[in-house]
């Protein structure tokens, strides 16, 4: 967090020693890996209500992520109001139509073909919750003093990863959505100009007949994403 007055470094004893013996660490890592492999991005949501407390706990987990200078340059707007969700869908689909009707390069559209996406976004209405992620490009104190935030994209990306993992841990499915441009979200969500919307996360239970693109199951093998230097 930002402090306008000078604050000196004061070390505290580590409040939580989280450590496992090597064999238990491997079991825990493999169990987490296997559970995260069950996470799928979906577009077919059930309208089943999700208690607000569940979403709040997931966002609180996201807020525990590390950030540049501990400035925590993020804000999450959780929306279940049907009217607001419909406004977001209408504005997002307008941007998406422009994207698919000539605004996107052919290479990008070709890359999206196996995913099966299009301008229609009914999930923005159906999913019980939309979580709009905002990045605070700079901070402003209560008295109007402006200060710099550091590593904002990286920090917000890490926090969003925490959020997605927390939603999955709570037994929920989600879909990340990035309409471009997203300026309409600032006004709809009542956020200040220093915050930039970066993503909509639709969250809820998957519909009984939910599907995923076949190519979504194709993941790079470990030897293509990891290099070991020992």
């Amino acid at each position: 967090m930002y402090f306008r007055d000078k604050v000196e470094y004061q070390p505290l004893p580590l409040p939580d020693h989280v450590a496992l013996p090597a064999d238990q660490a491997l079991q825990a890592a493999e169990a987490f890996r296997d559970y995260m492999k069950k996470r799928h991005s979906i577009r077919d949501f059930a309208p089943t209500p999700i208690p607000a407390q569940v979403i709040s706990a997931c966002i609180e987990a996201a807020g525990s992520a590390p950030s540049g200078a501990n400035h925590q340059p993020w804000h999450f707007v959780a929306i279940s109001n049907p009217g607001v969700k419909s406004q977001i869908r209408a504005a997002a689909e307008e941007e998406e139509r422009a994207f698919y009707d000539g605004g996107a390069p052919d290479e990008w559209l070709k890359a999206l073909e196996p995913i099966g996406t299009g301008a229609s976004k009914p999930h923005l209405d159906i999913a019980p919750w939309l979580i709009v992620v905002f990045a605070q490009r700079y901070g402003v104190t209560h008295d109007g003093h402006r200060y710099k935030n550091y590593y904002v994209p990286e920090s917000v990306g890490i926090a969003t990863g925490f959020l997605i993992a927390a939603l999955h841990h709570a037994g929920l499915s989600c879909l990340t959505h990035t309409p471009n441009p997203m300026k309409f979200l600032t006004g709809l969500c009542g956020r200040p100009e220093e915050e930039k919307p970066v993503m909509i996360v639709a969250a809820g239970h998957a519909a009984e007949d939910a599907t995923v693109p076949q190519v979504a199951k194709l993941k790079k093998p470990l030897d293509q994403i990891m290099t070991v230097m020992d």
Side-chain angles (χ1 to χ4, degrees):
M1 297 176 67
Y2 173 79
F3 297 93
R4 189 170 183 179
D5 298 328
K6 183 179 180 180
V7 179
E8 295 182 354
Y9 170 68
Q10 294 182 340
L12 297 174
L14 180 65
D16 301 295
H17 281 263
V18 180
L20 294 172
D23 58 339
Q24 294 182 32
L26 178 59
Q27 292 176 8
E30 290 178 338
F32 183 76
R33 174 202 63 197
D34 293 343
Y35 185 69
M36 290 305 295
K37 282 187 174 182
K38 296 179 180 180
R39 190 212 65 80
H40 304 289
S41 296
I42 64 159
R43 290 173 174 80
D44 308 305
F45 287 90
T48 310
I50 305 298
Q53 295 91 331
V54 175
I55 301 301
S56 296
C58 292
I59 291 176
E60 191 170 9
S64 70
S67 62
N70 193 36
H71 279 195
Q72 304 161 47
W74 47 64
H75 191 89
F76 302 89
V77 178
I79 303 163
S80 64
N81 183 288
V84 178
K85 290 195 298 178
S86 291
Q87 290 182 67
I88 290 176
R89 178 185 177 182
E93 288 184 339
E94 183 178 350
E95 302 293 356
E96 291 291 287
R97 283 191 292 270
F99 175 85
Y100 284 98
D101 292 342
D106 291 341
E107 184 178 7
W108 193 347
L109 293 175
K110 183 178 179 181
L112 290 173
E113 282 182 7
I115 306 298
T117 59
S120 179
K121 307 294 179 184
H123 63 271
L124 295 176
D125 267 329
I126 299 171
W129 287 94
L130 301 182
I131 304 170
V132 184
V133 183
F134 286 86
Q136 295 179 342
R137 294 174 291 184
Y138 56 91
V140 181
T141 63
H142 68 279
D143 59 354
H145 173 73
R146 178 169 166 170
Y147 60 89
K148 181 178 176 60
N149 285 328
Y150 303 93
Y151 297 105
V152 174
E154 295 86 350
S155 300
V156 175
I158 295 170
T160 303
F162 273 41
L163 173 63
I164 293 170
L167 291 168
H168 181 57
H169 190 67
L172 302 179
S173 296
C174 70
L175 177 69
T176 57
H177 178 49
T178 52
N180 185 29
M182 291 190 283
K183 293 180 180 179
F184 67 89
L185 289 166
T186 302
L188 278 175
C189 295
R191 299 310 303 163
E193 64 178 11
E194 65 266 21
E195 294 183 1
K196 176 184 178 181
V198 296
M199 190 175 301
I200 302 171
V201 181
H205 290 301
E208 289 294 331
D209 58 351
T211 63
V212 298
Q214 183 179 21
V215 295
K217 295 295 295 176
L218 302 177
K219 303 298 183 183
K220 291 181 179 180
L222 184 61
D223 61 2
Q224 290 187 21
I225 66 171
M226 174 181 170
T227 297
V228 178
M229 302 176 67
D230 56 10

